[in-house]
Amino acid sequence: MTAANKALLELSGVGKHFGGLAALSDVSLHIRRGEIYGLIGPNGAGKTTLFNVVTGLYQLDEGTFTFDGVAYAHCKPHVLAEVGIARTFQNIRLFANMSALENVMVGRHVRTRTGIWGALTRHAAARNEERAITQRARELLRYVGIERPHQTLAKHLSYGEQRRLEIARALATEPALLALDEPAAGMNATETESLKALLQTVRASGITVLLIEHDVKLIMGLCDRVAVLDYGKKIAEGVPEEVRRNPAVIAAYLGGEPASPSSSGEEVGVEE
Amino acid sequence: MRNVPDSLLHPGKRNAWLAFTALALVLLALPFATDALLGRGWVRIADFALLYIMLALGLNIVVGYAGLLDLGYVAFFAVGAYCYALLGSPQFGLHLPFWVVLPLGALLACVFGVLLGAPTLRLRGDYLAIVTLGFGEIIRIFLNNLNAPANITNGPQGISMIDPIRIGGFSLGSTHELLGFTFPSVHLHYYLFLCCTLLVVFVSLRLEDSRIGRAWMAIREDEVAAEAMGINTRNIKLLAFAMGATFGGAAGGLFAGFQGFVSPESFGLTESVMILCMVVLGGMGHIGGVVLGGVLLALLPEALRNGAGPVQQALFGKTLVDPESLRMLLFGLALIVVMLVRPAGLWPSVQRRRELIADDGVVQQEQDTVYDSSK
Ligand SMILES: Nc1ncnc2c1ncn2[C@@H]1O[C@H](COP(=O)(O)OP(=O)(O)OP(=O)(O)O)[C@@H](O)[C@H]1O
Ligand SMILES: [Mg+2]
């Protein structure tokens, strides 16, 4: 019980600047093991920047972050992938000219070992590993619901399928934390619905999910807790319903909208 | 659809075997046929074509798989060739055996590959091309100038009287009688180079379809995503440089032993560009295409050189344009035409085919989908 409640990812005082622009300033938050944690905020609030910091693509300027109790400032992306942080990208970044299957197989790279020698000789261990990689990749493609032939090139998949393929590829790295950058962007209502179901299954399998999303309905229906960023600062954090009623959030995020918090609450509808 | 008659499937397999056997026979008979039909000079050209194929396949690992544009690849060829030349010639009076010098040259080239790779890891595309180009030139200039104060490379004169390739007591430098056939030196080299080329093809095929090969391609497709998926891009890129350089070095050793003479002139930028052309023109990242590109680009200039004169004689009764200058003109023209007509290369990897040759259930599914949507 205590282990389940311990923070998996913890940011304290994280700052990231681009020239004079503070994309993140003094952001502190903690994500508990097993929860779905939402990260919302207006465009340019710094959400993607936060992802890039925790996945090692950007190096933070201030503060620290720990993952599973270990501090990982100034680490290479592949190290963070290895310790169990996997992500998807806001602007889909698949390996376009590789097949759907190969894309997921690349995700297995970090959990497998075969090197040049194994590739050349294909000794028993290498063959077994290769078979396991293929099998796991196929399972994951089915798991995220890609029905197309697995040999289809990633670039020939539909938009929704590409988003799900990114999730499959990230899951292939066996993450403890799955960070999704606007996975529902560009999806229609049915696709979003099945994405929601998928993320619930993912969470049920014990993976913690960090979710950036603009789709308020999805966030409200899915997340255990939500943090709101605005101009690089965390302006609110808590259970979705609470955050939605927070005046600072309304001002920043829903600011332009005429609807009052309560009426928008009825409209969106809290899950169950 | 599931009940495809066996008779329809098996001939395919048999045909593949037939084609394979036919190809093997052609490759085996090639030096003799060429010798009889076109003359011994063309067997020599075939030998060089095989060396070029090895080089192109080596460069294909760096450019085709890992997507790292390398314009100084011939430097590794030079390293392998000079390693052989220095250790197996009167230059230092060293006459180390072939089986020591060749692997040593390949290893040394591999080290140079890593040395070049390490500082260029952060560079991409054009910038990488410029740095590698510089590296290639540096190696050539070094070879050109390392004759003073201490004479190591003999400078622009190059190193001559290099030991012929000798396997055990069997020297490839002279004619041999075997099984009633006469094998001149060029024929023997042809068979050795053919074996080496097949080995390089095999290695390429195995690497392509492996965890490492996929990592290379992932880096080529999207380096940031590859990194985020846990690929140590530094190591994997260095591995690509090292593997490519190793092939280049080995080909260099064979070249030195075959030619018996090396000089810096053989390792200029045009050679690097030529090898890159083979890869790009044939079909980057596709072994068959790269081999085809190597064959064509090795043979075409020779064919033009030998053919341009007689053709002009036949057409106009005299030689209007010097064949040597016409050769490069036509060669350049051919390149432009090919790149215009087939921008992905003459024989790119058949993605469509890959999509179709899925496992049974999946093909079924695809056909069902088509059927459903047409209802
Ligand atoms: N590499 C960079 N160089 C300079 N500025 C950057 C860089 N990356 C992000 N920024 C800036 O940092 C700020 C935060 O950007 P970020 O992409 O994190 O926003 P976001 O919350 O993800 O927005 P969106 O909802 O539009 O995706 C923006 O002003 C952006 O222009
Ligand atoms: Mg963003």
Side-chain angles (χ1 to χ4, degrees):
Chain A
M1 191 62 213
T2 48
N5 278 342
K6 235 176 61 185
L8 180 64
L9 180 74
E10 186 156 14
L11 276 66
S12 47
V14 166
K16 175 74 198 170
H17 312 283
F18 296 106
L21 176 88
L24 290 175
S25 52
D26 195 24
V27 175
S28 301
L29 51 85
H30 64 280
I31 297 172
R32 296 186 199 118
R33 205 176 271 283
E35 72 180 343
I36 298 186
Y37 190 94
L39 190 61
I40 60 175
N43 290 106
K47 307 179 294 294
T48 301
T49 305
L50 188 138
F51 264 41
N52 288 341
V53 165
V54 292
T55 53
L57 293 178
Y58 291 166
Q59 300 303 330
L60 45 72
D61 298 323
E62 287 142 24
T64 53
F65 80 89
T66 63
F67 183 73
D68 212 4
V70 185
Y72 287 103
H74 311 292
C75 264
K76 291 264 185 185
H78 71 89
V79 176
L80 290 160
E82 198 172 339
V83 299
I85 305 180
R87 69 171 292 176
T88 64
F89 293 88
Q90 182 173 353
N91 46 339
I92 302 172
R93 301 190 79 138
L94 286 167
F95 307 124
N97 291 304
M98 296 171 80
S99 69
L101 187 69
E102 283 170 325
N103 268 271
V104 187
M105 287 170 87
V106 169
R108 295 298 299 152
H109 183 94
V110 69
R111 300 290 170 229
T112 47
R113 313 192 46 82
T114 307
I116 292 281
W117 184 246
L120 294 185
T121 58
R122 294 206 177 150
H123 50 70
R127 279 202 310 276
N128 287 339
E129 189 175 89
E130 189 73 10
R131 205 173 304 129
I133 291 173
T134 317
Q135 195 189 338
R136 182 78 189 122
R138 288 194 190 286
E139 281 167 18
L140 281 168
L141 282 174
R142 275 193 291 274
Y143 183 74
V144 301
I146 292 180
E147 307 290 344
R148 293 262 206 128
H150 296 167
Q151 302 299 319
T152 313
L153 294 185
K155 65 180 175 191
H156 293 156
L157 293 176
S158 75
Y159 192 76
E161 284 172 322
Q162 292 193 2
R163 287 235 172 258
R164 272 175 289 153
L165 179 56
E166 267 210 324
I167 296 177
R169 184 179 67 176
L171 286 174
T173 68
E174 290 174 22
L177 176 72
L178 178 66
L180 305 170
D181 200 342
E182 301 193 18
M187 282 188 175
N188 61 32
T190 359
E191 284 174 326
T192 309
E193 222 20 68
S194 69
L195 174 75
K196 185 174 158 188
L198 172 65
L199 294 186
Q200 272 158 344
T201 332
V202 167
R203 186 251 293 270
S205 74
I207 296 171
T208 310
V209 179
L210 169 58
L211 179 67
I212 295 180
E213 198 37 77
H214 281 304
D215 185 333
V216 178
K217 194 173 164 188
L218 188 66
I219 287 280
M220 295 297 152
L222 204 53
C223 296
D224 301 307
R225 290 190 307 140
V226 178
V228 188
L229 288 183
D230 190 27
Y231 292 111
K233 292 195 180 66
K234 188 178 86 176
I235 56 168
E237 184 180 25
V239 295
E241 203 39 32
E242 203 176 281
V243 165
R244 204 199 347 213
R245 296 183 197 286
N246 185 320
V249 177
I250 296 158
Y253 191 64
L254 309 166
E257 292 180 17
S260 73
S262 57
S263 73
S264 82
E266 266 142 32
E267 189 212 322
V268 172
V270 188
E271 192 196 19
E272 273 83 68
Chain B
M1 259 170 280
R2 214 160 255 169
N3 307 323
V4 181
D6 280 4
S7 55
L8 273 182
L9 283 173
H10 283 285
K13 217 168 186 179
R14 203 166 56 217
N15 284 344
W17 271 108
L18 273 176
F20 183 77
T21 319
L23 183 70
L25 287 176
V26 167
L27 287 176
L28 283 177
L30 193 75
F32 287 98
T34 315
D35 197 4
L37 296 172
L38 297 164
R40 189 140 304 169
W42 277 94
V43 185
R44 203 177 151 73
I45 291 169
D47 290 0
F48 276 112
L50 287 171
L51 284 176
Y52 272 123
I53 293 172
M54 275 183 248
L55 286 172
L57 285 170
L59 183 61
N60 181 48
I61 291 184
V62 185
V63 180
Y65 294 164
L68 304 162
L69 186 50
D70 184 349
L71 279 184
Y73 186 67
V74 81
F76 307 122
F77 187 52
V79 167
Y82 266 85
C83 180
Y84 189 108
L86 292 173
L87 299 179
S89 75
Q91 176 74 359
F92 293 130
L94 293 170
H95 296 279
L96 298 185
F98 169 74
W99 55 267
V100 173
V101 197
L102 190 79
L104 207 62
L107 190 71
L108 195 66
C110 173
V111 171
F112 272 85
V114 174
L115 285 181
L116 164 70
T120 60
L121 286 171
R122 289 162 176 277
L123 305 177
R124 297 193 57 80
D126 316 353
Y127 299 98
L128 179 63
I130 291 166
V131 173
T132 51
L133 187 152
F135 174 78
E137 285 301 283
I138 288 171
I139 295 282
R140 190 181 60 80
I141 291 167
F142 256 97
L143 296 174
N144 225 344
N145 292 295
L146 277 181
N147 54 349
N151 185 2
I152 299 172
T153 63
N154 220 13
Q157 279 98 45
I159 298 169
S160 49
M161 296 204 302
I162 299 170
D163 298 344
I165 297 171
R166 197 177 282 118
I167 301 168
F170 188 90
S171 167
L172 268 62
S174 51
T175 305
H176 285 265
E177 295 282 344
L178 283 174
L179 311 161
F181 288 100
T182 312
F183 288 89
S185 171
V186 273
H187 289 43
L188 294 171
H189 281 99
Y190 171 86
Y191 291 114
L192 175 68
F193 291 180
L194 185 62
C195 290
C196 295
T197 307
L198 291 177
L199 184 69
V200 173
V201 169
F202 173 78
V203 170
S204 296
L205 278 171
R206 282 272 159 115
L207 286 178
E208 184 179 74
D209 184 19
S210 74
R211 171 174 174 266
I212 301 291
R214 283 191 298 272
W216 281 335
M217 288 177 230
I219 290 177
R220 176 191 71 197
E221 293 296 314
D222 189 327
E223 190 169 340
V224 172
E227 227 177 346
M229 289 309 122
I231 292 174
N232 184 336
T233 49
R234 181 192 50 159
N235 291 358
I236 295 289
K237 277 178 168 186
L238 283 181
L239 199 56
F241 275 120
M243 283 306 292
T246 306
F247 287 169
L254 294 173
F255 169 77
F258 174 48
Q259 173 135 301
F261 166 74
V262 294
S263 76
E265 215 186 321
S266 315
F267 310 108
L269 176 61
T270 38
E271 291 299 311
S272 283
V273 172
M274 193 71 164
I275 302 165
L276 187 65
C277 279
M278 292 171 179
V279 176
V280 175
L281 189 104
M284 238 191 293
H286 182 226
I287 294 168
V290 173
V291 171
L292 179 70
V295 172
L296 285 181
L297 289 203
L299 298 187
L300 193 64
E302 299 302 328
L304 289 173
R305 189 212 302 273
N306 293 328
V311 168
Q312 285 187 58
Q313 284 287 350
L315 285 179
F316 312 113
K318 58 177 189 257
T319 307
L320 291 172
V321 190
D322 168 33
E324 198 59 27
S325 37
L326 191 64
R327 174 173 83 107
M328 289 325 278
L329 194 72
L330 290 178
F331 183 64
L333 207 64
L335 284 187
I336 293 171
V337 169
V338 169
M339 283 338 303
L340 279 178
V341 180
R342 297 189 69 98
L346 287 171
W347 189 11
S349 60
V350 192
Q351 284 157 356
R352 183 73 199 129
R353 197 183 60 193
R354 275 173 59 192
E355 290 187 55
L356 287 178
I357 309 180
D359 23 331
D360 16 304
V362 182
V363 171
Q364 184 69 27
Q365 218 171 41
E366 185 176 53
Q367 284 160 343
D368 286 348
T369 328
V370 172
Y371 180 60
D372 286 341
S373 58
S374 64
K375 263 198 290 202

